């Protein structure tokens, strides 16, 4: 027996079942509104707690970097008090020639450019991280880094 008549029969049966004359109740596509509830977008969440967002983003960095004062050097340097430092000058870590010769002083603008795309910002550096495309992600990570790595007086 050929499969064509069976397939045709199945199609006709399916069509008859789905095209019945009686309307069927459909589930609502959106939940009913809650009294006094306002939706919170991801952007609003980021604005509400950038430090928490930055801490989550830092998890991508922790394999290579430490943040605490006197923290060990890993694949990448310790980032304690990074803001205000000249790139490639921290003792105890062997930086790439590109980083050591850059003369960059880490501030919010230089860090933003580097975090967006490290290899484009500083060709021939050794950091293998592809970067953070979203500005709000870079801002949140920087807020976290500043909070954690800035010496308290």
């Amino acid at each position: 027996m050929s499969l064509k008549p069976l397939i045709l029969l199945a199609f006709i049966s399916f069509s008859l079942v789905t095209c019945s004359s009686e309307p069927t109740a459909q589930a609502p596509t959106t939940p009913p509104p809650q009294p006094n509830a306002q939706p919170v977008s991801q952007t609003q969440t980021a604005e509400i707690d950038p430090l928490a967002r930055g801490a989550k983003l830092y998890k991508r960095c922790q394999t290579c970097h430490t943040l605490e004062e006197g923290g060990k050097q890993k694949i990448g340097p310790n980032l304690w008090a990074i803001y205000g430092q000249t790139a490639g000058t921290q003792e105890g870590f062997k930086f790439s020639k590109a980083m050591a010769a850059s003369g960059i002083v880490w501030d919010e603008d230089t860090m933003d450019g580097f975090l967006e795309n490290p290899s484009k910002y500083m060709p021939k550096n050794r950091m293998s991280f592809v970067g953070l495309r979203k500005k709000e992600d870079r801002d949140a990570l920087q807020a976290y880094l500043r909070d954690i790595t800035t010496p308290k007086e």
Side-chain angles (χ1 to χ4, degrees), residues 36-70:
N36 299 326
Q38 295 181 356
V40 178
S41 71
Q42 284 185 330
T43 305
Q44 288 173 325
T45 302
E47 291 171 3
I48 292 170
D49 196 358
L51 292 178
R53 182 178 178 148
K56 184 175 179 180
L57 289 164
Y58 172 72
K59 289 181 180 185
R60 300 178 191 178
C61 313
Q62 68 187 4
T63 300
C64 299
H65 297 281
T66 58
L67 301 179
E68 63 276 353
E69 184 174 12

Side-chain angles (χ1 to χ4, degrees), residues 10-22 24:
F11 177 75
I12 292 170
S13 299
F14 177 76
S15 297
L16 290 174
V17 169
T18 58
C19 296
S20 68
S21 60
E22 293 182 34
T24 57

Side-chain angles (χ1 to χ4, degrees), residues 7-152:
I7 293 172
L8 183 58
L9 182 60
F11 177 75
I12 292 170
S13 299
F14 177 76
S15 297
L16 290 174
V17 169
T18 58
C19 296
S20 68
S21 60
E22 293 182 34
T24 57
Q26 293 185 359
T29 56
T30 57
Q34 299 294 320
N36 299 326
Q38 295 181 356
V40 178
S41 71
Q42 284 185 330
T43 305
Q44 288 173 325
T45 302
E47 291 171 3
I48 292 170
D49 196 358
L51 292 178
R53 182 178 178 148
K56 184 175 179 180
L57 289 164
Y58 172 72
K59 289 181 180 185
R60 300 178 191 178
C61 313
Q62 68 187 4
T63 300
C64 299
H65 297 281
T66 58
L67 301 179
E68 63 276 353
E69 184 174 12
K72 70 178 187 171
Q73 311 290 4
K74 292 173 132 182
I75 295 169
N78 172 273
L79 300 178
W80 176 255
I82 188 75
Y83 290 92
Q85 281 187 25
T86 301
T89 61
Q90 188 182 94
E91 289 189 33
F93 187 80
K94 184 173 174 150
F95 289 92
S96 66
K97 290 179 183 177
M99 183 73 73
S102 71
I104 291 172
V105 174
W106 295 118
D107 62 20
E108 288 191 19
D109 292 331
T110 57
M111 188 66 76
D112 184 69
F114 190 74
L115 290 173
E116 182 177 19
N117 187 334
S119 61
K120 184 177 177 183
Y121 187 81
M122 187 182 300
K124 299 186 180 179
N125 84 80
R126 290 193 306 240
M127 187 157 144
S128 62
F129 181 62
V130 296
L132 296 170
R133 292 183 188 175
K134 295 180 182 178
K135 175 74 170 140
E136 58 268 19
D137 286 346
R138 296 191 307 273
D139 289 346
L141 180 58
Q142 284 204 69
Y144 178 73
L145 289 175
R146 273 200 177 282
D147 184 61
I148 297 297
T149 67
T150 301
K152 310 291 187 245

